[in-house]
Each structure stands twice: as structure tokens, then as C-alpha cells.
């Protein structure tokens, strides 16, 4: 039912957002909770991997997923170039790896020296050991959107926990920090 | 570091996924945690609103978001037709509204009779009272992807909690159920 009163929304009026518009958007959009994954690909025998929260399942027929990557980032360029990639959905125990692979200054060499992983059989992309679920994908479309690329992929292989093998305990991102689910 | 052994991934080999492929994907993709929002629009004086977990922030310059909607759904058709919509990011206290607006059989008339809301000033779309954050958007692109539409919008107005006004307590979706964050 419609409540009395009005919302005190902040309107973006200009053609270009102001710095105040962008700052307010950053604060409010940080309040979107999300699971945490590592997106990875391999290009010319080099592994690329980065922590993401901007990913989702699009469709189950055919199984299709999306990840949003900054167009100018190393991982964005690598995923766009290779056309195959993987998503590893993280547990709370992966928080150290998530922090490491989210930092802007990660090295190209030795990126995964401390991160236990195996390779996906379909793409050769890195998949973090102990992921709740993992998906290997083949890109079917890339849509530029503002500063980012929306990379859409069809699932070519997938796996995860044996049912009941472990309480999943997913890693959650909310308000610029990591969290766990209440039990 | 690369671990010994191989992943026992399930590969999708055919041109068309089998029912077993789709069923496995449904199980594993349910293990992606997500915040919960209501997407809404108004078309010919009628309000449309549905619960979504497949939404994300794409970019902050300009502020840009994405929602993935089933192409054949009432909400998908309405958002595509109007070109303006809103996202209300939900708290755990909104679980009843989230359940209601997620059910496939919601009525066209009386949809929001029990859901307190106000209208966004920029689009007239419904925004649930007490949302952690809300965003009004103008569609800038619609990309079909498998069974869904990826609707990309630029933010035209936004708002949310006054800082410190209430512990946010977001509603979280994981493994086909609603959850809260651990404190």
C-alpha cells in the first residue's frame, strides 16, 4: 500500500554525473550483498585470476553466467582475449585468497604461489581448491557497459561439493567488508 | 600452488545440454549467495514488481546497474516496454514481501496491497519502504542472453538510509533459502 510522504531521493540531473553523484552511488551500491568468486583464465601459458562480486547466473537452459569486469583491467583484457574462463565460488575460509586476488597490485608472476588450485579440464583455467562450486565457461557475448565489460558465457564444465560433504559457509561481501551467514 | 590430482568436473559435451546437465547446474548455481532486491516499473498506470537476486552494480561512472529478467515474464516484458525501473535493496525484515513478490502466481491487481511503498520521484516506480538503498534507472541497453534479458540502466535517482540510522541487516539468498549475516 502506498505510504504517505515522499522519498528524499538524490536526483542525477546533468548529462555527466558530478563527483557527489558518484560518491553517493559508491556508498549506496556498497550495500548490495554478494557472494564472492574468483574469475580466472590462462593466456599464453600465464594464469590470470581476480576476485569478483559482480557475477551471476543468467539462465539454466543452456547454463549461462555473466561476469562484469573493468575493461581496462588485466583480468578484463585477458578474459576478453581468451574466450574461456572459470568461476570459483568461495567459502569463508578463502577470505585470505579473496583479499589477495582483489588487491590492485597483484604481481603477474607468482600470483598463485600461495593459493592452492587445480585446473579445469575443459579450459585449463585455475579453480581454487575447496570451492563451493565451480564453473568453466566459453564466452558467447561481450557487451561494453560504461567502464566495464559484461562477459556472458555458456557453461562447458562444472563441479562442486559432494552433497553433504561440508557445511558450505559461503564468503559474503557487504558494505565493503567480508561476512559469513548467520547459522 | 597447483595441487596434485584432478577435478572431477562434469562436462557438457553436446550442442544441447541434457536434462542432467541442467539439473546439476541448478543445484550448483543455487550455491551462489546474493543480496535480494525488488525490481519494479509502472506501465499504463499499473505497477509491476518482482523479487530478484540476479542484479549487480556495473560501474560508478556513470552509475550503471544491471538486472537479469526472464524474457517471458510479466516483469521482463514490462521493464523492456517502459525503459524506466527501480531497484529496492531489501533487509531481512522484508522477507515476507520478498517471498510474496517471488511467487509465480502473484496477481496483477492488488499486487502491492500488503506491501508498504512510496514512488520514486524520477520514474514513478514503486520503492519498498525501509529499503537499505534504492535506485531509479533509465534503460540504456537490453541484451538477450539465453532465456533472459540483461537490462542495463543508468541511475537517474538514488537514496537510502541515513548513515547510522539502523543496522542494515540485509536479506541474503543462498542455497534456495533466505539468510541473514552473522553479527
Amino acid at each position: 500500500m502506498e505510504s504517505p510522504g515522499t522519498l528524499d531521493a538524490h536526483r542525477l540531473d546533468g548529462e555527466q554525473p558530478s563527483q557527489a553523484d558518484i560518491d553517493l552511488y559508491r556508498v549506496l551500491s556498497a550495500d548490495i550483498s554478494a557472494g564472492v568468486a574468483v574469475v580466472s583464465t590462462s593466456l599464453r601459458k600465464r594464469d590470470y585470476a581476480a576476485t569478483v562480486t559482480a557475477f551471476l547466473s543468467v539462465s539454466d537452459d543452456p547454463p549461462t553466467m555473466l561476469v562484469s569486469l573493468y575493461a581496462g583491467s588485466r583480468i578484463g583484457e585477458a578474459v576478453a582475449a581468451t574466450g574461456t574462463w572459470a568461476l570459483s565460488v568461495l567459502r569463508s575460509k578463502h577470505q585470505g585468497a579473496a583479499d589477495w586476488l582483489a588487491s590492485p597490485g597483484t604481481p603477474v608472476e607468482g600470483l598463485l604461489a600461495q593459493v592452492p588450485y587445480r585446473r579445469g579440464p575443459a579450459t585449463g583455467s585455475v579453480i581454487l581448491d575447496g570451492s563451493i562450486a565451480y564453473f568453466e565457461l566459453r564466452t558467447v557475448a561481450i557487451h561494453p557497459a560504461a567502464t566495464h565489460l559484461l562477459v556472458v558465457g555458456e557453461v562447458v564444465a562444472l563441479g562442486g561439493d559432494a552433497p553433504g560433504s561440508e557445511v558450505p559457509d559461503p564468503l559474503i561481501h557487504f558494505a565493503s567488508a567480508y561476512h559469513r551467514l548467520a547459522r
Side-chain angles (χ1 to χ4, degrees), chain A:
Chain A
M1 76 225 84
E2 190 156 358
S3 303
T6 56
L7 285 168
D8 67 342
H10 172 85
R11 295 181 72 148
L12 280 66
D13 284 326
E15 278 299 294
Q16 293 280 62
S18 68
Q19 192 58 48
D21 295 338
I22 291 172
D23 290 347
L24 180 60
Y25 179 74
R26 284 183 179 148
V27 169
L28 291 172
S29 64
D31 278 348
I32 298 173
S33 317
V36 183
V38 166
V39 59
S40 62
T41 193
S42 295
L43 178 62
R44 290 189 286 273
K45 298 191 178 174
R46 181 159 277 169
D47 292 313
Y48 297 81
T51 305
V52 287
T53 56
F55 68 103
L56 49 82
S57 170
V58 172
S59 177
D60 51 25
D61 189 10
T64 304
M65 305 181 82
L66 174 149
V67 64
S68 172
L69 298 172
Y70 181 59
S73 64
R74 223 156 55 200
I75 188 73
E77 291 174 352
V79 167
T82 57
T84 58
W85 42 290
L87 283 170
S88 303
V89 180
L90 303 190
R91 291 178 203 281
S92 67
K93 72 177 182 186
H94 289 110
Q95 184 174 336
D99 269 334
W100 167 246
L101 295 173
S103 41
T106 52
V108 174
E109 298 290 345
L111 177 67
L112 299 165
Q114 307 297 324
V115 179
Y117 68 88
R118 291 178 179 80
R119 291 188 183 280
T123 67
S125 303
V126 162
I127 291 170
L128 269 59
D129 286 359
S131 296
I132 298 179
Y134 56 86
F135 305 91
E136 293 186 273
L137 299 110
R138 178 179 55 80
T139 301
V140 294
I142 299 180
H143 306 292
T147 51
H148 280 60
L149 301 176
L150 305 174
V151 183
V152 182
E154 282 186 12
V155 174
V156 293
L158 70 173
D161 286 341
S165 61
E166 187 177 350
V167 178
D169 195 17
L171 185 62
I172 311 277
H173 193 260
F174 172 72
S176 307
Y178 291 116
H179 297 266
R180 304 171 72 164
L181 295 184
R183 289 288 154 203

